[in-house]
Amino acid sequence: NAGVTQTPKFRVLKTGQSMTLLCAQDMNHEYMYWYRQDPGMGLRLIHYSVGEGTTAKGEVPDGYNVSRLKKQNFLLGLESAAPSQTSVYFCASTVNGATEAFFGQGTRLTVV
Amino acid sequence: QKEVEQDPGPLSVPEGAIVSLNCTYSNSAFQYFMWYRQYSRKGPELLMYTYSSGNKEDGRFTAQVDKSSKYISLFIRDSQPSDSATYLCAMSGDNYGQNFVFGPGTRLSVLP
């Protein structure tokens, strides 16, 4: 029972490089989210999706793009990484958007 | 004023103590109230979930919601070293997932 799986777990990028974070869920959830977690800031929503083919901006979307081509996958892209994007990124999914959110194990990203 | 306030701690208690964790919020539209537990270098996992006001008990854990005061609490009885983690409160207002709002988390250490 995998739940929510994030790839990769760790990454170091140089400023200006690009990368894609992959989130996969096997629970047939409609809603998926990308958060970043920084010390003292809690979880902040970057982008979210309410179903296959849909995406929307969250609280801190600048510098990130997302795609949800398949229901089970939600991709987060950084086109030109900046040191301010150093963070721990979590993907989550829920059945209906209001109840239990299942989280992945996180991706630790460092931009130097 | 932040939408959800939570004392970041850290909070250190001896094993067996009763722990009280609290959050205050400003948005009266919140209807769903959750507590997540996050171990170091792991993703958050749902601990307690409450709809609207009232109490909910699950083993050693009790969640309380006072909507009139915009205040929620999590009580841990007979605390154990395995309860050492960061506890995040979370709230949402309706079926739209973007309304999940997380507190910054309280770091708890239970000392043997």
Side-chain angles (χ1 to χ4, degrees), chain B residues 4 6 9 14-16 18 22 32 35 46 51 55-57 66 70 74 83 87 89 93 98 100 102 107 111:
Chain B
V4 177
Q6 185 177 6
E15 183 176 353
I18 296 174
N22 311 294
Y32 302 90
W35 286 95
L46 185 69
Y51 174 72
N55 295 357
K56 186 172 185 178
E57 188 174 321
D66 182 350
K70 298 189 178 66
L74 177 71
D83 295 327
Y87 290 80
C89 61
Q98 76 273 20
F100 272 121
F102 286 85
R107 189 152 58 95
L111 308 175

Side-chain angles (χ1 to χ4, degrees), chain A residues 10 31 33 35 37 40-43 45 48 50 57-58 90 94 96-106 108, chain B residues 2 32 34 36 38 40-46 49 86 88 92 94-105:
Chain A
F10 304 93
Y31 292 73
Y33 314 82
Y35 291 92
Q37 187 175 40
M41 303 292 289
L43 287 161
L45 183 63
Y48 65 98
V50 301
K57 294 180 180 179
F90 286 101
T94 73
N96 60 8
T99 56
E100 181 175 7
F102 292 82
F103 284 83
Q105 74 276 33
R108 291 185 173 271
Chain B
K2 292 184 180 179
Y32 302 90
M34 292 147 276
Y36 284 82
Q38 185 177 20
S40 180
R41 296 183 174 267
K42 300 289 186 182
E45 55 181 354
L46 185 69
Y49 167 81
T86 296
L88 303 132
S92 65
D94 51 35
N95 285 334
Y96 295 100
Q98 76 273 20
N99 284 334
F100 272 121
V101 179
F102 286 85

Side-chain angles (χ1 to χ4, degrees), chain A:
Chain A
N1 190 6
V4 178
T5 303
Q6 292 182 230
T7 309
K9 291 184 174 58
F10 304 93
R11 186 74 185 268
V12 178
L13 284 180
K14 293 183 179 179
T15 297
Q17 286 185 320
S18 63
M19 78 164 294
T20 300
L21 282 68
L22 171 64
C23 177
Q25 53 96 2
D26 61 3
M27 296 171 284
N28 202 36
H29 285 171
E30 291 291 338
Y31 292 73
M32 296 187 74
Y33 314 82
W34 276 107
Y35 291 92
R36 60 178 290 172
Q37 187 175 40
D38 303 291
M41 303 292 289
L43 287 161
R44 291 184 293 169
L45 183 63
I46 304 171
H47 286 279
Y48 65 98
S49 168
V50 301
E52 181 179 319
T54 73
T55 64
K57 294 180 180 179
E59 179 186 357
V60 288
D62 294 343
Y64 306 94
N65 56 75
V66 288
S67 64
R68 184 114 181 254
L69 299 179
K70 292 183 178 180
K71 185 177 183 178
Q72 64 268 33
N73 295 337
F74 196 28
L75 278 64
L76 177 71
L78 285 74
E79 290 185 346
S80 179
S84 60
Q85 294 177 306
T86 293
S87 188
V88 181
Y89 291 86
F90 286 101
C91 176
S93 70
T94 73
V95 171
N96 60 8
T99 56
E100 181 175 7
F102 292 82
F103 284 83
Q105 74 276 33
T107 296
R108 291 185 173 271
L109 175 66
T110 302
V111 183
V112 297

